Amino acid sequence: MGLARGAPDAAAAAAAAAGGAANTQSLAHLLRFAPCPRAFPGSLMADDWMRHPRFPSFVICQSCFQTSVGVVPQYARLFYRNQPPGPSDRESYCDFSLIWVRMAWVWIMGHALPDVDLLGHVATIAMSDGCCPNPRDKKALIHLPTVTRQWFTLRHPADGRLLADEWTICSHCKTAIETILPVFRDKRLFVPAAQMPCPGCCDLPQQRVWGCLQYMFNYASEIYFEGKSGDLMPLINHIVEYSGIPPCPKDTPKDGLCHFIPDLRDFTVCQECFIAVVKPSIEKGAGSRLAASVQTSPVFVQNWTCQLYSDRTRRLWAECTTTTTSSDAAVAAGDSLGGAEARFRLKAAERRAKERDVYQRTSQLRDSIRLVTTQVGVYGAQMLAQTQVQSAQMVAQVMIGYEGGYVTPSNPLILHNQALMGQERVKAEMLQCELDSIVADWTSNWE
């Protein structure tokens, strides 16, 4: 992309903590983080935050603590329970929900560091030009946001040219990487992409952080633990391969380039997931006709979604593409595609149909919630105006010395609007519950 242009289980965690230096394959299981219920400021004010004595402003919610730090005794004992930050401190949110804090945790666990100070150092990073412009949540990004600020990139080891047209990162992500992996700072590997602040985007949205960081981890491990000079070319090749590739849209419909299977047009794959999932299956020569049937050159398609971004569909893909021959039972039944491939095609068609239904229903519900919320605001504004009129009448009567004593005037319009506003609020809550139920079913059973 570059400059301006368009939770682990306890057993696994304990094993990693005792394992010393590790490669990215053994670290990958540490990426299974549980969703954080307090990921955003003011999401939940509670009195059960876990704190670290050396970093008073660093807090972890109980959910993240119990599924990460808390399952490793040598790290759990370093934290204590305390009250949440006060209003003068900051709005409360869980620091362990931050992507770079979680990446620091992967490095700590993978190399059995003696303490968790790295978490506090990463969480307290503050840059003069602000945090990363990419959103903190994992929702699909159709386009990376473009902002004007100082950008950084790498030099190609072969010819020394800047990779500013292929890859840029913001100062916040640069500092996070250098904090976790000081070798990048010591060797001054990140250099300004331009002499002055300019429009650009950060090529490290949440879904791509691990893709780059695994190569950075390998580079640092070679230097720190293997006594090697370090090889940047795997990282450079990864950056060049993904250059210009837009982020995966996940289940958000979009118009643009994608890959698909000609006789299974509902199975569309974004360019990012094609590189990460389909291309390796083709290159390994797994023998799957399904992998070989995917169009290798992307074409423009309207209103498509990516069908290979989730763990569920990637497991189905792996099951199918590692099945090199048709099963005897499938052949006997006349299923020329083979059992695994037939199941994948059926599941893909069912999932896409369900996805369309979910998108239509949730879109309608969100529209209804917006309308109801707007109506609540209208009734509230009317109540405010009527209350102001009533207050003015009260003041007038007091100023003229009303001898009969002041009696609060009865204003049926205020009571009427108050009742209507209450009804609309109840309606909005019911619609939101229905929306949450649909999304939960999609996430748990289909996505």
Side-chain angles (χ1 to χ4, degrees):
M1 301 302 248
L3 297 182
R5 56 194 176 282
D9 54 65
N23 57 28
T24 54
Q25 284 71 31
S26 63
L27 295 181
H29 73 281
L30 295 172
L31 299 173
R32 296 196 299 267
F33 294 104
C36 177
R38 305 180 193 171
F40 297 96
S43 54
L44 278 176
M45 297 298 290
D47 59 359
D48 58 354
W49 296 102
M50 301 302 294
R51 289 180 176 275
H52 192 286
R54 293 189 59 186
F55 301 94
S57 64
F58 177 75
V59 293
I60 304 181
C61 72
Q62 284 294 325
S63 176
C64 290
F65 185 81
Q66 293 171 8
T67 56
S68 57
V69 180
V71 301
V72 186
Q74 71 183 75
Y75 298 144
R77 62 182 176 79
L78 301 175
F79 288 81
Y80 65 96
R81 179 169 170 170
N82 197 15
Q83 296 294 318
S88 60
D89 187 358
R90 65 172 186 179
E91 292 184 273
S92 300
Y93 67 86
C94 176
D95 285 302
F96 204 82
S97 66
L98 302 175
I99 184 65
W100 287 115
V101 172
R102 293 188 168 194
M103 292 301 101
W105 171 247
V106 172
W107 181 258
I108 290 170
M109 289 287 290
H111 298 284
L113 301 189
D115 56 53
V116 294
D117 287 2
L118 187 59
L119 299 181
H121 290 307
V122 172
T124 53
I125 290 174
M127 307 305 299
S128 59
D129 50 358
C131 295
C132 179
N134 292 326
R136 282 181 50 205
D137 57 39
K138 291 187 177 181
K139 294 181 180 178
L141 280 174
I142 301 300
H143 301 290
L144 294 175
T146 299
V147 299
T148 298
R149 61 189 293 169
Q150 180 69 63
W151 299 100
F152 297 87
T153 189
L154 293 166
R155 290 189 183 277
H156 199 293
D159 53 19
R161 67 181 177 89
L162 292 178
L163 296 177
D165 289 334
E166 291 90 351
W167 189 78
T168 52
I169 60 173
C170 65
S171 58
H172 186 271
C173 290
K174 165 187 172 290
T175 304
I177 295 171
E178 292 176 337
T179 303
I180 299 171
L181 307 173
V183 65
F184 279 82
R185 179 186 63 239
D186 298 340
K187 290 181 174 289
R188 298 182 179 180
L189 295 177
F190 293 121
V191 294
Q195 293 182 350
M196 299 290 291
C198 61
C201 54
C202 183
D203 289 314
L204 283 179
Q206 285 215 23
Q207 60 266 40
R208 284 190 179 176
V209 167
W210 176 246
C212 278
L213 208 61
Q214 60 180 322
Y215 296 104
M216 296 180 184
F217 277 6
N218 278 346
Y219 175 78
S221 294
E222 289 176 353
I223 296 174
Y224 291 146
F225 304 108
E226 300 175 24
K228 299 179 180 179
S229 59
D231 183 9
L232 269 182
M233 282 310 300
L235 172 62
I236 300 300
N237 292 336
H238 174 83
I239 288 173
V240 172
E241 184 174 31
Y242 279 85
S243 174
I245 302 298
C248 175
K250 297 186 178 182
D251 55 359
T252 301
K254 69 170 291 186
D255 300 339
L257 296 176
C258 70
H259 303 263
F260 64 91
I261 298 175
D263 61 341
L264 188 61
R265 295 297 291 264
D266 279 342
F267 183 73
T268 48
V269 183
C270 73
Q271 295 170 271
E272 183 176 19
C273 291
F274 178 85
I275 294 174
V277 182
V278 180
K279 187 178 177 181
S281 298
I282 297 174
E283 292 176 345
K284 288 178 182 177
S288 169
R289 287 172 296 177
L290 188 67
S293 65
V294 179
Q295 295 278 6
T296 55
S297 298
V299 297
F300 184 86
V301 176
Q302 292 182 321
N303 198 39
W304 62 273
T305 58
C306 182
Q307 300 298 303
L308 266 184
Y309 72 89
S310 69
D311 292 339
R312 180 180 280 110
T313 54
R314 290 189 177 191
R315 283 195 299 268
L316 291 172
W317 175 266
E319 176 187 344
C320 177
T321 55
T322 54
T323 303
T324 58
T325 58
S326 302
S327 65
D328 294 339
V331 173
D335 180 7
S336 60
L337 295 175
E341 185 174 332
R343 285 194 299 274
F344 181 87
R345 288 174 174 269
L346 178 61
K347 289 290 186 182
E350 290 178 345
R351 183 186 186 279
R352 181 59 176 136
K354 180 67 175 180
E355 185 180 61
R356 288 194 179 98
D357 176 64
V358 168
Y359 183 78
Q360 181 179 8
R361 293 166 64 193
T362 55
S363 296
Q364 291 173 349
L365 284 169
R366 289 189 176 98
D367 289 341
S368 298
I369 291 172
R370 279 193 291 268
L371 289 174
V372 172
T373 303
T374 300
Q375 194 59 49
V376 169
V378 171
Y379 291 139
Q382 291 176 352
M383 283 182 57
L384 177 62
Q386 292 155 3
T387 302
Q388 290 173 340
V389 171
Q390 179 173 284
S391 298
Q393 293 174 348
M394 293 169 57
V395 171
Q397 292 192 30
V398 170
M399 292 183 67
I400 63 176
Y402 184 60
E403 297 179 355
Y406 177 76
V407 178
T408 303
S410 176
N411 192 333
L413 290 178
I414 294 179
L415 299 177
H416 178 67
N417 282 322
Q418 187 176 25
L420 291 177
M421 187 167 64
Q423 293 174 6
E424 293 300 307
R425 282 177 172 168
V426 171
K427 187 186 299 184
E429 291 175 358
M430 294 175 62
L431 291 171
Q432 186 63 51
C433 287
E434 184 178 356
L435 175 62
D436 293 342
S437 176
I438 294 173
V439 172
D441 175 65
W442 164 255
T443 303
S444 301
N445 302 316
W446 292 90
E447 187 180 21

